[in-house]
Amino acid sequence: MASNTVTMGHLPNGVGVCTTIPDILYVPELIFGGLVWILVACTYVVPQNPQAWVMFVSVFCFVMTFVWLVVFACGSHGNSSGWAAADFIYHLIAVVFYLSASVALAKVTMDYKSDPLTKVYKLDISAVVFSFVATLLYFVHTILSAIRWKSF
């Protein structure tokens, strides 16, 4: 019987990426990050700068998380502690980026609520919610990556 946990001082490869903690969080990060990307692209936010920042963050984190998932799935990391540190640093940067983007998008959405029943407002609210969920997922992944890195 296979276990869904491994020793924290070990970086998984292959299918193990989808079955171990914290690496199992890659898939939800991709899903929620993609939803933020799609929802922001479908909305109209009056000040363009926060929307551009949110788009940059969601696209950057989506692409980097996918690349990170492929690197881990292929086993290119060689079970090195340097890769564990890089995993922690990347997710820490993603948390800071997503938190700043989420707060900016929430502020603009709250200022824009001229008619809460419009489709655009509902899309904005959905983007804010999914952005904060993505932030939470990246935060949990950061904490678990730090624990794994320190156990090397």
Side-chain angles (χ1 to χ4, degrees):
M1 176 177 217
S3 174
N4 67 346
T5 60
V6 295
T7 59
M8 287 300 283
H10 172 22
L11 296 174
N13 56 10
V15 181
V17 172
C18 296
T19 60
T20 58
I21 297 194
D23 302 305
I24 197 168
L25 295 174
Y26 282 127
V27 174
E29 289 167 359
L30 285 171
I31 291 169
F32 285 101
L35 285 171
V36 171
W37 180 3
I38 292 166
L39 289 169
V40 171
C42 292
T43 62
Y44 175 73
V45 180
V46 177
Q48 300 301 318
N49 194 17
Q51 186 181 22
W53 174 244
V54 174
M55 282 298 289
F56 168 77
V57 168
S58 62
V59 171
F60 172 79
C61 289
F62 185 87
V63 170
M64 287 302 297
T65 300
F66 183 75
V67 168
W68 218 244
L69 176 65
V70 169
V71 165
F72 273 60
C74 292
S76 301
H77 51 70
N79 203 27
S80 161
S81 65
W83 278 97
D87 186 41
F88 164 70
I89 291 168
Y90 163 66
H91 282 91
L92 181 63
I93 291 169
V95 166
V96 171
F97 277 11
Y98 253 115
L99 184 60
S100 66
S102 300
V103 170
L105 186 61
K107 170 73 170 105
V108 168
T109 301
M110 292 305 294
D111 291 344
Y112 184 62
K113 64 176 182 177
S114 59
D115 185 10
L117 300 178
T118 64
K119 181 180 177 182
V120 171
Y121 184 73
K122 290 176 182 178
L123 288 172
D124 286 339
I125 290 295
S126 299
V128 169
V129 169
F130 287 132
S131 183
F132 277 110
V133 170
T135 304
L136 178 64
L137 288 168
Y138 279 105
F139 179 74
V140 170
H141 199 143
T142 301
I143 298 300
L144 295 173
S145 292
I147 293 168
R148 177 172 59 191
W149 173 43
K150 290 300 178 184
S151 69
F152 259 90

